[in-house]
Amino acid sequence: MPRPSASQPAARDRILACASDLFYRKGINHVGINEIIGASGIARMTLYHHFASKNDVIVAVLERRMAERRQAMQAVMEAAHSPRDKVMAAFGYLRDLVGADAFRGCVFINAAVELADPSHPGAVLSAQHKQRMADGFARIADDAGWPDAAGFGLQCQLLWDGAVAAAQLNYTAAAVDAACQAVGVLIAARESAARPGPDRTAKGAS
């Protein structure tokens, strides 16, 4: 039998699609290589041609999930105009995620909890993803001239993750609505702090 060619994107994509679905539905630790092979309908040699181990599959799945999440969030935020609308659009996207029939929590939080070892490449990727999200919210705040942009980014990330966890535990999107309300309060406070008051205006004109 000829060795699988490295130019087999279809096989690799099928492996990742099946592994991603299985990991999310059943949990990373409850899915073995044999199940991924069976679900994807590829030969064992083909899988090991693309991935040296299950850990490599985990990392590739998370990298793909990260890219998809980043692309989707950028799309909804770029369609908005004001800084407020950009942040609220991101949380509107979260509402869509939580409302999906297949929702089973946050892919990245689930992975970090299951993998347990913070040095595992999958856990490192998950932590990096969360930090990038916080940084993204912080950039919006910084571009808008809101004070404590880094703090705002972290607060948004905490509200995002809290809403996801509550939705997973309670099987309801009500937590996302509460998070949206809280984000609105944070934005209003930042906008108010950034807006020149009478005293500051007077000093600037003198």
Side-chain angles (χ1 to χ4, degrees):
M1 180 181 294
R3 186 170 182 263
S5 169
S7 60
Q8 287 185 310
R12 187 178 191 276
D13 287 346
R14 190 160 65 251
I15 293 166
L16 290 180
C18 291
S20 181
D21 174 67
L22 289 169
F23 288 161
Y24 189 60
R25 286 192 297 108
K26 303 178 70 172
I28 291 173
N29 293 333
H30 294 284
V31 176
I33 287 293
N34 288 339
E35 188 169 4
I36 296 171
I37 290 171
S40 59
I42 51 87
R44 180 178 296 273
M45 187 170 68
T46 301
L47 184 142
Y48 282 112
H49 173 70
H50 292 287
F51 304 101
S53 67
K54 179 183 172 181
N55 279 346
D56 289 336
V57 178
I58 293 169
V59 169
V61 164
L62 291 174
E63 286 176 338
R64 173 175 285 200
R65 290 271 194 170
M66 286 173 63
E68 292 172 347
R69 180 66 51 80
R70 185 163 55 247
Q71 183 178 11
M73 288 190 68
Q74 285 177 345
V76 298
M77 287 192 288
E78 286 174 1
H81 299 291
S82 70
R84 167 185 282 273
D85 288 345
K86 289 180 183 296
V87 177
M88 298 309 296
F91 277 81
Y93 169 66
L94 174 59
R95 185 181 285 107
D96 292 339
L97 290 177
V98 168
D101 291 338
F103 174 72
R104 204 189 73 79
C106 174
V107 171
F108 307 100
I109 294 176
N110 291 350
V113 171
E114 285 196 82
L115 295 171
D117 179 3
S119 66
H120 188 288
V124 172
L125 274 174
S126 297
Q128 289 174 344
H129 171 72
K130 294 299 182 181
Q131 185 59 55
R132 284 174 183 155
M133 286 187 67
D135 291 344
F137 288 122
R139 280 193 297 274
I140 294 173
D142 189 54
D143 290 344
W146 297 344
D148 188 19
F152 177 80
L154 178 58
Q155 289 167 337
C156 286
Q157 187 60 55
L158 291 173
L159 286 168
W160 178 289
D161 287 339
V164 170
Q168 182 179 8
L169 289 171
N170 301 320
Y171 300 97
T172 175
V176 179
D177 295 331
C180 287
Q181 292 174 1
V183 169
V185 172
L186 290 177
I187 293 172
R190 290 308 198 285
E191 289 176 333
S192 178
R195 189 178 304 122
D199 292 342
R200 281 174 285 178
T201 301
K203 289 178 183 178
S206 61

